[in-house]
Amino acid sequence: MSNPLVVGISDMKLSTRPEDVIATYSLGSCLGVTVYDPRARIGGMVHCLLPSAASARERARRNPFMFVNTGVAMTVRRLVDLGADKRRLVFKAAGGANMRDDRLFETGVRNFQALMRLLERNGRRLAARDVGGTIPRTLFLYLDTGRVIVRSLGKESEL
Amino acid sequence: MNRRDAILAACGSVVAMPTCVRGAGVLMNAPDADFAGLARIIEHDPGLTANLLKVVNASVPPSGVPVLTARAAFETLDSVESLRFFVSTGVAPHYVRAIEGYDQAPEMFLQHSVTVGVASRELARALGIDAPDHVYTAGLLSGVGKLLLGAYVQVDLREILRLVFDGGMAFDAAEQAVLGISHAELGSIVLDRWGVPGPVTRVVRHHLRPDGYAGRDVVLDLVHVGNVLAKMIGVGLGADGLNYEVSTGAVGRLGVTSAVLDRVAADVVVALDGLRDLFLACADGGCRE
């Protein structure tokens, strides 16, 4: 694999180059979301730390990618600006893990719920997911085909 | 000799903590090294901090009060030359190794250590707790046992992970079952041998299970939740992943809610951005073998 475009925490990367690969490493309770237009072969990946910007509007204004609800929406907007068709976009997600038996914070669960609410509100569906549990995940998006790979504990699987 | 004793013996011969010393080494050897730059490297590096505390507490404290933080140690040293001397007396570069046993790159260990320190401190700030200064040091050093196990012991993770995923055990409980010792206990024992003071080693010992400590220690509770937060953020996760338990006792004593944790998580991510250069300095060259 050529050097991937690396997405940090609360960060987003997108590309219009089919030879590119976008990656984010070590997703814990954070949610990694890939968005891809298979005809235009344009895609992006966002690595969101928290579910909602509702209680942190100033922070979301400075960095919308920190939150699921603003981060995914902003990623879609950027892709559409580059020529993607909103109706063709394919959404996939990984991460959203939790500490063992965590009933106190449930950040991973809340992150995934925020994504599902956002998609539902916009009449979209999630094409694939690998979320929950207690394992860390690394996520790759291949711009040539839209293939999404999840790596965890040394094993890879396609989403 | 049982497994626990063999591990303690293996780690007993470690004279200095393995660490990524590249950044500090460059600065220490530079003819125009500045005190502030060197101090910044050391205070965010678990290996160098442990070493500094070891050396300073072995020779300096005229007041008899143990030195608990790198910053307090710097106050006893007034020049680059003295800082160089104190650090280099204990640093043994040939002990620096990758953390193979736990499927974690050295720079990831550094990032996780710093994240726990920053998270513990930011949590205290968000909760309005006037925490002792050593909360950062204790957080920074809390995971040293994993570094020691990964670098000096042939750990067969398969059996530990089998107990975690098939047996439903938390990772530290599985370590205890397979190795006879958890990385938390190992870290505290080795740091204690090095002369790192009790208020720090106590936190290292109990940071995964704070309710196992009979007394009340706000630093311990902060570092426990700080460690949880660091793992949730995903910085420096190895094969152990998020397979640890959150102490409802520590959370309750501190009064942490989801809203507080979210706010602190955001603060920590922003704070880590300011330390990116430290992580890159370590990652670029890797650790010396």
Side-chain angles (χ1 to χ4, degrees), chain B residues 131-216:
Chain B
D133 289 341
H134 69 276
V135 68
Y136 183 84
T137 309
L140 187 77
L141 295 178
S142 60
V144 299
K146 194 191 296 178
L147 184 61
L148 291 163
L149 279 174
Y152 298 101
V153 179
Q154 290 294 317
V155 177
D156 184 354
L157 272 187
R158 285 172 302 183
E159 180 59 10
I160 294 174
L161 292 176
R162 191 187 67 75
L163 291 177
V164 168
F165 291 110
D166 298 339
M169 278 189 184
F171 194 87
D172 58 319
E175 279 180 330
Q176 184 75 44
V178 172
L179 305 175
I181 192 167
S182 71
H183 72 262
E185 185 184 5
L186 175 67
S188 72
I189 290 172
V190 173
L191 288 178
D192 183 58
R193 283 177 182 168
W194 290 350
V196 173
V200 173
T201 59
R202 179 170 70 221
V203 174
V204 175
R205 169 73 180 85
H206 296 286
H207 78 282
L208 297 174
R209 295 181 182 272
D211 300 326
Y213 175 61
R216 174 82 197 269

Side-chain angles (χ1 to χ4, degrees), chain B residues 17-22 45-48 95-97 110 147 287:
Chain B
M17 222 204 11
T19 185
C20 264
V21 294
R22 184 171 176 268
D45 185 304
L48 293 172
Y95 278 107
V96 176
R97 299 179 186 176
L110 177 68
L147 184 61
C287 284

Side-chain angles (χ1 to χ4, degrees), chain A residues 116-135:
Chain A
M116 296 310 286
R117 273 198 302 273
L118 179 72
L119 293 177
E120 193 177 321
R121 215 165 40 234
N122 288 278
R124 309 311 308 271
R125 57 180 283 275
L126 190 63
R129 72 181 77 167
D130 182 6
V131 297
T134 55
I135 54 171

Side-chain angles (χ1 to χ4, degrees), chain B residues 212-289:
Chain B
Y213 175 61
R216 174 82 197 269
D217 182 345
V218 70
V219 174
L220 172 59
D221 288 342
L222 288 166
V223 170
H224 172 74
V225 179
N227 182 52
V228 166
L229 194 151
K231 290 188 189 313
M232 285 167 51
I233 288 174
V235 178
L237 291 179
D240 50 347
L242 291 85
N243 288 294
Y244 295 94
E245 292 172 5
V246 184
S247 160
T248 53
V251 170
R253 285 189 291 272
L254 292 173
V256 187
T257 62
S258 287
V260 168
L261 200 76
D262 285 2
R263 197 164 70 242
V264 175
D267 290 342
V268 169
V269 167
V270 172
L272 290 178
D273 273 343
L275 297 168
R276 194 72 55 202
D277 58 324
L278 284 175
F279 304 146
L280 291 174
C282 182
D284 282 350
C287 284
R288 286 180 287 177
E289 290 285 347

